[in-house]
Amino acid sequence: MRLLLLLILLLACQPKKPKEEYATFPQFLKRPQETVTPELFRRAFFLDDEAQKLCSSEALTEDILKRVKELSSNFPKLDGYLGDWRKGEQLALTPELYKRLYGKPGGSKKGLCYACHCADPRVDECGDVGPSLYRYAEKGVKPEELFKRIYNPWAFSPCSAMPRFGHHGLLTAEEVTHLVAYLLSPESPVNGGKP
Amino acid sequence: MLLLLLLLTALSFSQEALTRVGLQSARVVLERGKEYYLKLTGGSKLTCADCHGPDGESLKGAYARMPRFYTDLGRVADADLRVLSCLRQYLRLEDERLKSRERELVVPLVGFVASLSNGELVFVELRHPEEKRLYELGRTVWYRRSGATDFSCALCHERLAGKQFFAEVLPAPIPDRAPARYPAYSVKRDELLTLEDKLRDCFERYLLYDPKKGRFSFESRVRKPPYYVEELIALELFLMHSVNGSTLSVPGVIK
């Protein structure tokens, strides 16, 4: 096995031959044109988002944190905050992680949760930027509270490393309710349920 | 027989072997850079060597002081932009010929130029007003939270450095003096990456807003800044200045 791996490695790492000679420039070899202009990039990068600007400060003072909290107090009103944990799982797992667990396509690129958190004990490729969410239901957090925590974490922990998923539309309000269920439902693998 | 020998060697030093193979591939790219340096010509019929010496004498130590302000360009340039400018202005390579394979020429040349400064200490100065301005801009970009993920370079590479992010440990490029090891060969991608390439790639993690829609969209084409944009050169200036005094050692090898 190890031998095979190394063989593949060696073959893959064979120094590449230069594709053409320095003197000849085939005209057909064209890359797609770079369409991103500096102006487009600047507009995309320097967002006019007051909270984001405040959190970019090198010294996060009490005043800044207080202001960011104030700016993060808008939440949609819903009839219920507990969605479908299975849909939540689809959002939380990246396509690679989903495939590894279930052997079929699924998951989502929006699901960045495992970049920073561990939760489902079957997933070992998980980050430790945020706390582990394994058995999160035991914490006794109310669904509405948890909804807000995922929708806009800066309302609780201003300038936190956790993205403001709802605020940016990375997740819709409905999608956030599914993640709430993923973390709170006793059937969810996060809480030891058997999927 | 040779393959078997190679295999046996690789088996005994699997970790070092990876680095060795990476270095070997990197040297091939640098060799190609040298060949371009000596032979490539455009409308002016001049080669790089005609102006900078057959062994690049006049370029020894230059990379360790880059990015810096250049009077002939009227702006601050990193190695990538400096080499591209010489290709354009002094070799007078036509746009048509450059367009399709600009990076294929620039990257090996930057690798070769950088290797001429091996062993020198990084010494980026802030003398010209433009250098000072770009240093401040680089610092601003480094700390700026942006995109749908609200990330910043400093968030991942200072505040969270050492933490696990998916399967990767977040590096601390400034204390690790990483910029002094670029251009570096990526074994996984099987290509040489300049510092500009590497910084540009990190922007993908921001999930930038779609500037046309004014909100986040997975369909947006704006994932990374365009090459040679001022903000990238500013980040390089900020990072290289932050590792002043480190010994330049290129090509580096990365995953």
Side-chain angles (χ1 to χ4, degrees):
Chain A
M1 187 58 203
R2 194 157 165 226
L3 211 82
L4 193 72
L5 261 169
L6 271 162
L7 186 65
I8 292 169
L9 201 90
L10 269 167
L11 285 176
C13 297
Q14 284 300 311
K16 262 195 295 198
K17 282 241 174 64
K19 286 191 198 77
E20 297 103 18
E21 287 308 315
Y22 40 83
T24 54
F25 292 81
Q27 296 300 309
F28 58 83
L29 205 110
K30 287 224 168 74
R31 264 195 332 191
Q33 282 251 240
E34 186 78 66
T35 52
V36 183
T37 61
E39 289 64 38
L40 276 183
F41 163 71
R42 270 171 211 138
R43 261 164 52 204
F45 184 75
F46 292 105
L47 287 186
D48 191 19
D49 178 313
E50 197 186 337
Q52 222 170 42
K53 283 189 211 161
L54 285 167
C55 292
S56 306
S57 169
E58 283 179 49
L60 295 174
T61 61
E62 284 302 317
D63 284 349
I64 289 182
L65 299 179
K66 207 172 124 220
R67 180 79 189 119
V68 170
K69 228 172 181 169
E70 281 165 19
L71 285 167
S72 312
S73 52
N74 282 331
F75 293 99
K77 269 260 160 271
L78 304 182
D79 293 331
Y81 294 92
L82 257 183
D84 177 344
W85 75 260
R86 286 182 192 278
K87 289 189 182 149
E89 182 181 50
Q90 291 276 354
L91 292 162
L93 295 169
T94 59
E96 301 89 74
L97 291 175
Y98 192 90
K99 181 116 204 219
R100 234 178 280 167
L101 285 191
Y102 296 106
K104 57 182 179 190
S108 156
K109 277 194 274 183
K110 300 172 171 186
L112 288 164
C113 313
Y114 284 92
C116 299
H117 297 282
C118 294
D120 183 333
R122 294 171 300 167
V123 179
D124 51 11
E125 198 168 277
C126 53
D128 63 2
V129 170
S132 167
L133 303 174
Y134 180 53
R135 297 203 173 278
Y136 194 76
E138 287 170 10
K139 271 194 93 168
V141 180
K142 298 264 176 309
E144 184 174 356
E145 189 77 2
L146 183 54
F147 173 87
K148 289 182 173 172
R149 206 136 193 354
I150 301 170
Y151 193 88
N152 189 346
W154 290 8
F156 301 83
S157 177
C159 307
S160 154
M162 180 154 153
R164 296 171 293 163
F165 290 98
H167 172 84
H168 288 297
L170 202 50
L171 297 170
T172 63
E174 192 196 331
E175 286 171 332
V176 176
T177 66
H178 298 323
L179 283 161
V180 170
Y182 180 57
L183 294 185
L184 294 184
S185 166
E187 286 120 69
S188 162
V190 171
N191 294 310
K194 296 273 169 292
Chain B
M1 185 59 208
L2 191 71
L3 197 67
L4 194 76
L5 223 99
L6 262 170
L7 249 165
L8 282 174
T9 339
L11 255 181
S12 37
F13 313 97
S14 50
Q15 194 51 48
E16 291 123 79
L18 201 76
T19 315
R20 189 132 23 91
V21 174
L23 266 181
Q24 200 187 324
S25 312
R27 295 226 173 85
V28 174
V29 181
L30 263 49
E31 273 304 310
R32 198 179 340 143
K34 186 169 186 183
E35 214 163 82
Y36 291 151
Y37 181 88
L38 293 172
K39 297 181 185 158
L40 188 73
T41 55
S44 71
K45 301 278 178 268
L46 290 169
T47 65
C48 310
D50 287 335
C51 289
H52 296 297
D55 300 312
E57 286 89 22
S58 79
L59 298 179
K60 289 208 162 70
Y63 186 82
R65 294 188 297 273
M66 293 165 95
R68 71 171 176 87
F69 182 84
Y70 290 96
T71 349
D72 63 330
L73 308 178
R75 64 176 286 193
V76 175
D78 65 350
D80 304 50
L81 177 61
R82 180 65 252 188
V83 165
L84 177 67
S85 305
C86 281
L87 284 169
R88 280 232 173 89
Q89 290 185 14
Y90 298 129
L91 261 63
R92 282 205 249 114
L93 235 61
E94 306 87 63
D95 279 349
E96 258 319 295
R97 278 166 73 191
L98 261 179
K99 195 165 60 184
S100 54
R101 45 180 312 209
E102 185 182 292
R103 296 299 295 171
E104 279 174 57
L105 295 175
V106 168
V107 175
L109 279 167
V110 169
F112 171 66
V113 167
S115 70
L116 296 173
S117 295
N118 256 334
E120 305 252 353
L121 303 185
V122 176
F123 187 57
V124 170
E125 290 183 286
L126 306 179
R127 279 194 308 198
H128 194 278
E130 275 298 287
E131 291 166 350
K132 293 189 181 120
R133 184 178 71 81
L134 255 67
Y135 175 84
E136 288 308 324
L137 176 63
R139 194 182 183 101
T140 304
V141 175
W142 177 258
Y143 286 102
R144 185 65 154 86
R145 311 263 323 237
S146 181
T149 49
D150 292 312
F151 288 158
S152 71
C153 315
L155 180 74
C156 284
H157 293 306
E158 280 181 17
R159 212 164 111 186
L160 304 176
K163 296 258 187 197
Q164 184 104 5
F165 187 81
F166 281 123
E168 291 173 310
V169 174
L170 291 168
I174 298 175
D176 291 350
R177 318 237 140 205
R181 296 193 294 270
Y182 281 79
Y185 201 85
S186 164
V187 179
K188 201 162 79 188
R189 287 166 51 175
D190 192 17
E191 60 178 330
L192 190 72
L193 301 175
T194 66
L195 185 58
E196 186 172 339
D197 281 319
K198 189 69 206 179
L199 304 190
R200 195 170 160 266
D201 284 347
C202 263
F203 278 90
E204 255 182 331
R205 301 187 166 94
Y206 285 101
L207 304 183
L208 293 176
Y209 267 37
D210 184 338
K212 296 216 169 93
K213 294 184 180 152
R215 61 182 162 75
F216 171 73
S217 150
F218 273 112
E219 279 75 53
S220 173
R221 307 198 47 164
V222 184
R223 287 297 175 99
K224 301 177 186 185
Y227 278 110
Y228 322 112
V229 77
E230 190 170 271
E231 282 77 0
L232 272 176
I233 293 170
L235 265 176
E236 283 181 79
L237 183 69
F238 169 71
L239 286 175
M240 289 303 271
H241 185 269
S242 304
V243 302
N244 263 350
S246 330
T247 308
L248 207 83
S249 169
V250 299
V253 177
I254 57 175
K255 258 203 315 195

